[in-house]
Amino acid sequence: MAAVVKEAKVVVIGGGTGLSVLLKGLKKYTSHLTAIVTVSDDGGSSGRLRAEMGVLPPGDIRNCLVALAETETLMDKVFQHRFDHQGSLKGHNLGNLLLVAMTEIAGDFVSAIQEVSKVLKVRGRVLPATLEHVALGARMRDGILIYGETSIRNYGEEIENLFLVPEKCLPVPDTLEAIMEADIIVLGPGSLYTSIIPNLLVDGIGAALAESKARKVYVSNIMTEHGETDSFTAVDHLRVIMRYLERPAIEYIIVNNGIIDEWILKRYRGEQALPVLFNRSEIEAMGIKLIEADMLSHCDLAWHDSDKLARVIMNL
């Protein structure tokens, strides 16, 4: 008899484009995938729906659901369709509207996600970090308090400390269970302060992460982000994450050592973004194992390649 190979239980924590890129690769290796997604977004279609209808921002959730869909279908395109004509729907994403409608039909956001997952034949599951309507707040280096993810990113001053409003918010219970049962937990890739840290501010998630027996991996961004991580190195990213965990938990960091084309770098320099540098001795002095590999996708952006990144993570 052939041996039965146990699929790894993988939990990914974050938000934004980086999380969906990672999920596209990981779904090829395991169906035991749980994405824990931040719900503090207040920009774009999600922000408008949040302000006008008092719903949780659906955008990052939608991107993760489409990323985990088993096959590329017409429904995937429907969920990602964005209205670009004039009128009240301009800029809205159809998938966001469908998630809001399904929440009203199903009675709650988690049930809505589950129903949409069936339609898209999602491999794995997607969970919001919390069901409470939270806003992201920051104390900047100049002492000013800024509220709202978009405002924080656009303020232009170094972030000193992040918090949620309300400060005490409960997690979705299934998130804690998934973290405790995981074989591998991955933070990132994604915006440090607005995609990763907000999840760690939800009561119990940071503690569960530290307590879990899983291997814990941080995927470093390839480029810095203006307004969030200007001039940050990989070590700077790690130090920020450690501040929001109850005790040291990260065991591995994955960094890109692929060469970025000069014409791509020139574009990023126009956005005041630079490659995230790393120093092996500094990272290892923190007790963290460094894994470096060419992570670059073959596109005109310095993004992670889904398959390359997933392969490195699953090799752990």
Side-chain angles (χ1 to χ4, degrees):
M1 284 181 65
V4 176
V5 179
K6 174 179 170 287
E7 287 189 338
K9 294 180 179 179
V10 183
V11 170
V12 295
I13 301 174
T17 306
L19 191 60
S20 55
V21 166
L22 172 58
L23 292 173
K24 283 180 183 178
L26 287 176
K27 72 180 180 183
K28 299 174 184 178
Y29 292 88
T30 180
S31 57
H32 294 297
L33 260 174
T34 302
I36 299 173
V37 187
T38 181
V39 288
S40 58
D41 186 11
D42 63 358
S45 172
S46 289
R48 286 169 59 193
L49 290 170
R50 178 176 180 166
E52 294 169 13
M53 302 185 67
V55 297
L56 288 170
D60 285 353
I61 299 284
R62 180 202 78 242
N63 282 329
C64 290
L65 289 170
V66 173
L68 287 173
E70 274 199 0
T71 55
E72 298 290 332
T73 66
L74 178 60
M75 281 307 297
D76 299 356
K77 295 178 181 177
V78 167
F79 265 78
Q80 294 293 55
H81 176 74
R82 191 175 297 277
F83 296 98
D84 57 9
H85 58 72
Q86 296 299 320
S88 59
L89 287 180
K90 182 177 174 63
H92 271 306
N93 185 287
L94 183 54
N96 289 352
L97 298 176
L98 289 170
L99 272 168
V100 171
M102 187 60 77
T103 300
E104 293 185 359
I105 294 168
D108 65 84
F109 196 40
V110 171
S111 297
I113 294 169
Q114 290 171 346
E115 293 304 317
V116 169
S117 296
K118 295 175 187 176
V119 173
L120 293 176
K121 295 183 179 179
V122 162
R123 186 172 168 86
R125 59 179 176 168
V126 181
L127 297 171
T130 180
L131 291 177
E132 298 186 38
H133 295 267
V134 295
L136 192 62
R139 179 180 295 278
M140 313 308 284
R141 183 68 61 172
D142 61 7
I144 300 294
L145 295 177
I146 302 293
Y147 296 92
E149 181 179 304
T150 305
S151 298
I152 292 168
R153 190 183 290 117
N154 294 337
Y155 184 68
E157 180 67 43
E158 189 175 343
I159 297 167
E160 187 170 274
N161 188 50
L162 275 187
F163 54 91
L164 293 179
V165 182
E167 194 167 335
K168 187 172 180 63
C169 60
L170 298 176
V172 174
D174 283 355
T175 62
L176 302 185
E177 182 180 333
I179 288 170
M180 295 309 296
E181 293 180 354
D183 297 308
I184 305 172
I185 300 170
V186 185
L187 296 178
S191 300
L192 178 64
Y193 284 108
T194 53
S195 291
I196 297 174
I197 300 301
N199 293 293
L200 304 181
L201 295 173
V202 175
D203 272 15
I205 288 184
L209 181 66
E211 190 177 337
S212 173
K213 303 299 183 187
R215 288 182 172 173
K216 294 124 186 175
V217 185
Y218 171 60
V219 180
S220 175
N221 287 345
I222 294 175
M223 305 295 293
T224 62
E225 287 187 84
H226 181 53
E228 282 202 45
T229 56
D230 295 280
S231 74
F232 269 39
T233 65
V235 165
D236 293 324
H237 284 76
L238 285 170
R239 285 174 179 153
V240 170
I241 291 171
M242 296 301 191
R243 285 214 321 260
Y244 294 93
L245 293 174
E246 292 193 3
R247 61 179 185 268
I250 306 299
E251 298 170 86
Y252 300 88
I253 180 172
I254 297 172
V255 299
N256 170 63
N257 66 3
I259 305 301
I260 305 169
D261 289 338
E262 180 57 34
W263 65 272
I264 296 178
L265 288 175
K266 183 177 179 180
R267 172 181 173 175
Y268 276 95
R269 282 196 290 267
E271 302 170 2
Q272 299 183 57
L274 297 168
V276 174
L277 303 178
F278 60 92
N279 181 294
R280 177 174 291 275
S281 60
E282 278 189 311
I283 290 170
E284 292 179 346
M286 298 175 72
I288 295 170
K289 299 178 182 70
L290 174 67
I291 301 171
E292 53 177 300
D294 180 353
M295 293 285 118
L296 291 170
S297 65
H298 298 291
C299 70
D300 58 357
L301 294 168
W303 282 11
H304 287 89
D305 179 275
S306 298
D307 293 328
K308 290 179 182 177
L309 180 55
R311 196 179 307 121
V312 170
I313 289 170
M314 297 309 295
N315 279 341
L316 292 173

